[in-house]
Amino acid sequence: REISNGKVKPEEDGDKYGDEDEKEDRAAQSLLNKLIRSNLVNTTNQVEVLQRDPNSPLYSVKSFEELRLRPPLLQGVYAMGFNRPSRIQENALPMMLAAPPQNLIAQSQSGTGKTAAFVLAMLTHVNPENKWTQCLCLSPTYELALQTGKVIEHMGQFYPEVKLAYAIRGSRRLERGQKVQEQIVIGTPGTLLDWCLKLKFIDPKKITVFVLDEADVMIATQGHQDQSIRIQRMLTKDCQMLLFSATFEDSVWSFAQRIIPDPNIIKLKREEETLDTIKQYYVQCSSKEEKFSALCNIYGAITIAQAMIFCHTRRTANWLAGQLTKEGHQVALLSGEMTVEQRAAVIQRFRQGKEKVLITTNVCSRGIDVTQVSVVINFDLPLDKDGNPDNETYLHRIGRTGRFGKRGLAVNMVDSKYSMDILLSIQDHFNKKIKKLDTDDIDEIE
Ligand code: ADP
């Protein structure tokens, strides 16, 4: 048995605890979110706006017409199916499009319209007559850069004079000293720094809009922070600087303040998750096999719409998927060995109801909402990488947001004193009773 932080961890399938968590990085999560997102995230929270000049009036727009966009851009916005600005766009767009343009730090969870907002700002500010790079957009990875590029192409579909180039490793064979002609360049910090500094494909003095996207993901990668700052230092003080982040921990905040001078700040709080509408149960078992038969009993007893089952390791998830399949259930499996694209496809199928059960490790529990799920089964309780109860993940797996959140059911499988202690600790933390469930007599569940 492995000991860390004075805690004894139970052996499980021979895999190391927290393995999946460690490997899953934020960039992959963020990409997955983009791949499966097809709509704005609904939020009822108020936007918090901090203006650089508190005496200047605060503009907010309720329609895209008010922004006086170039006709092909307005046409592009409508072609994307946008009817009105999202909550964050209502305030961010007038600030970004103001003359003279203003600097902005904006934070809101993924899916609230940040990308669409800065893409519109970039497209508005470039001058298509000038055949040189005017906008730089920094993304943490090539894949994320491509996603943003697609939005630029989509929104700019009626404005073909504006061209886009990707600055990614090995992407270009210009002669040293030659210049990129595309007005917008999007890429990763390392390559963009090379393009500006070493290869001189871009003249940083001619950049009028600088966007740093996914700041929280960016700073999670060693080196990206420094490279971004080095690029920013080459720009002129008239260049508009914009920074976006889905989260706002202290590290993001201090980075944002270093890189964006005199910013306006817009924040949109995440909708809080609650356990209020969730019935929570636990089942006492003594082994993995017993957990499985309890699961079958639960499954037989309730006419479940759709269920998600969380396992701690990839191995348990694979095993469970095999067992359920043998019993004749149609299951979908998400696991760490899949590419992000494969995972996105599995989630899409599940969302469309093609499978009723989705088995997963922690990798998909964070940041991804599968709101139609009414039953969540913790085949293993959530632990952090030190083997301590992970309350936040617990809440995120089974909690619901919004005041009108649907009712739900959560069942926790306990198979040792260790997991019972974890359960009790989670129960204490949320101060919400987790009732014992007898799976041989399951009637009480509904
Ligand atoms: P974020 O960058 O905050 O993750 P996005 O800009 O990618 O958010 O927007 C999330 C989703 O909502 C995308 O599918 C996007 O096309 C859509 N979207 C963005 N703005 C609007 C809007 N004003 N109206 C309708 N849909 C929008």
Side-chain angles (χ1 to χ4, degrees):
R1 284 189 174 196
E2 209 184 321
I3 298 178
S4 114
N5 283 1
K7 281 210 167 57
V8 181
K9 297 175 182 175
E11 279 165 298
E12 194 189 294
D13 299 350
D15 277 3
K16 250 186 94 188
Y17 254 79
D19 199 16
E20 254 96 3
D21 286 350
E22 310 276 47
K23 283 189 201 132
E24 181 59 15
D25 63 316
R26 299 179 81 148
Q29 267 178 46
S30 179
L31 179 62
L32 184 58
N33 253 316
K34 287 194 194 261
L35 293 175
I36 64 175
R37 173 95 55 221
S38 50
N39 286 111
L40 269 175
V41 165
N42 250 328
T43 134
T44 51
N45 284 342
Q46 284 303 314
V47 175
E48 213 184 298
V49 183
L50 269 158
Q51 283 187 290
R52 181 175 51 115
D53 174 6
N55 297 322
S56 78
L58 176 63
Y59 293 106
S60 93
V61 289
K62 297 283 177 203
S63 74
F64 286 107
E65 279 83 7
E66 289 171 66
L67 292 165
R68 300 171 184 282
L69 301 167
R70 290 173 208 247
L73 287 180
L74 188 62
Q75 204 184 344
V77 165
Y78 287 140
M80 292 183 84
F82 300 179
N83 296 320
R84 41 161 298 158
S86 72
R87 209 159 262 253
I88 189 131
Q89 289 164 0
E90 288 178 357
N91 293 295
L93 285 171
M95 266 179 197
M96 290 194 285
L97 303 183
Q102 306 189 15
N103 292 350
L104 176 69
I105 295 175
Q107 176 263 323
S108 64
Q109 78 189 79
S110 102
T112 47
K114 298 186 295 299
T115 307
F118 71 72
V119 165
L120 190 54
M122 291 197 295
L123 287 168
T124 301
H125 287 312
V126 293
N127 180 348
E129 318 244 288
N130 295 338
K131 308 293 178 211
W132 62 75
T133 306
Q134 303 153 46
C135 295
L136 283 188
C137 178
L138 271 56
S139 270
T141 65
Y142 169 48
E143 289 78 13
L144 287 167
L146 276 185
Q147 291 306 313
T148 305
K150 281 191 190 151
V151 180
I152 298 174
E153 273 159 21
H154 200 173
M155 201 177 274
Q157 61 185 299
F158 304 105
Y159 198 25
E161 307 91 300
V162 174
K163 302 270 192 277
L164 164 70
Y166 293 95
I168 40 172
R169 211 156 292 291
S171 65
R172 190 106 178 180
R173 285 172 203 277
L174 282 182
E175 293 291 316
R176 210 170 256 258
Q178 272 188 317
K179 295 282 187 258
V180 175
Q181 298 196 344
E182 286 86 348
Q183 293 88 351
I184 302 178
V185 175
I186 169 165
T188 48
T191 307
L192 269 177
L193 182 62
D194 279 354
W195 282 28
C196 291
L197 189 68
K198 204 159 72 193
L199 302 163
K200 303 209 187 309
F201 291 166
I202 295 172
D203 180 356
K205 301 280 175 260
K206 290 185 172 165
I207 300 298
T208 51
V209 184
F210 173 73
V211 177
L212 199 144
D213 191 20
E214 311 238 13
D216 49 349
V217 181
M218 198 73 97
I219 64 170
T221 304
Q222 273 281 320
H224 274 171
Q225 190 160 336
D226 293 340
Q227 287 159 344
S228 305
I229 288 170
R230 288 180 66 192
I231 296 171
Q232 190 266 0
R233 290 218 180 112
M234 289 189 265
L235 308 171
T236 65
K237 70 171 187 354
D238 296 328
C239 175
Q240 180 179 36
M241 311 207 180
L242 309 168
L243 178 142
F244 299 86
S245 183
T247 61
F248 227 136
E249 51 271 36
D250 291 346
S251 53
V252 179
W253 179 233
S254 52
F255 173 61
Q257 290 199 308
R258 273 182 77 187
I259 203 159
I260 310 292
D262 304 324
N264 294 288
I265 297 163
I266 296 182
K267 284 189 196 182
L268 179 59
K269 275 218 205 74
R270 233 199 134 79
E271 207 85 358
E272 295 217 356
E273 285 163 319
T274 137
L275 298 177
D276 288 349
T277 54
I278 311 296
K279 284 191 176 173
Q280 302 177 75
Y281 293 97
Y282 77 93
V283 189
Q284 181 90 55
C285 306
S286 60
S287 65
K288 187 168 71 175
E289 287 70 21
E290 236 182 74
K291 289 205 273 188
F292 175 66
S293 58
L295 179 65
C296 291
N297 286 344
I298 294 169
Y299 201 72
I302 43 181
T303 41
I304 301 174
Q306 274 190 307
M308 257 173 110
I309 307 177
F310 290 92
C311 300
H312 195 69
T313 65
R314 200 181 289 182
R315 230 155 111 188
T316 310
N318 282 332
W319 173 81
L320 189 57
Q323 296 293 313
L324 280 170
T325 309
K326 264 193 235 157
E327 296 277 317
H329 297 295
Q330 281 218 327
V331 298
L333 174 66
L334 268 188
S335 93
E337 62 241 314
M338 292 178 175
T339 64
V340 174
E341 287 77 10
Q342 287 170 327
R343 277 188 246 162
V346 170
I347 295 173
Q348 298 290 33
R349 282 180 58 86
F350 182 66
R351 281 194 173 164
Q352 292 157 8
K354 295 200 170 118
E355 280 95 16
K356 286 204 144 187
V357 184
L358 179 65
I359 302 175
T360 175
T361 53
N362 251 342
V363 293
C364 109
S365 65
R366 269 167 304 166
I368 292 153
D369 38 86
V370 193
T371 36
Q372 83 275 23
V373 172
S374 49
V375 180
V376 173
I377 304 209
N378 284 322
F379 199 77
D380 298 304
L381 290 163
L383 300 177
D384 65 18
K385 59 185 191 309
D386 298 320
N388 297 313
D390 187 344
N391 297 316
E392 198 187 323
T393 300
Y394 185 83
L395 178 63
H396 194 66
R397 283 182 186 178
I398 70 180
R400 292 287 188 279
T401 61
R403 278 159 291 172
F404 311 107
K406 279 185 280 185
R407 303 193 71 76
L409 173 70
V411 182
N412 297 289
M413 305 273 179
V414 167
D415 65 354
S416 62
K417 174 164 185 316
Y418 177 72
S419 50
M420 193 64 215
D421 287 346
I422 307 251
L423 185 90
L424 293 175
S425 155
I426 291 174
Q427 175 175 271
D428 283 354
H429 178 86
F430 293 107
N431 196 18
K432 284 253 151 43
K433 181 99 182 130
I434 305 180
K435 279 165 62 180
K436 183 165 179 170
L437 183 70
D438 179 1
T439 49
D440 294 326
D441 177 22
I442 210 119
D443 299 343
E444 62 176 298
I445 208 166
E446 271 177 320

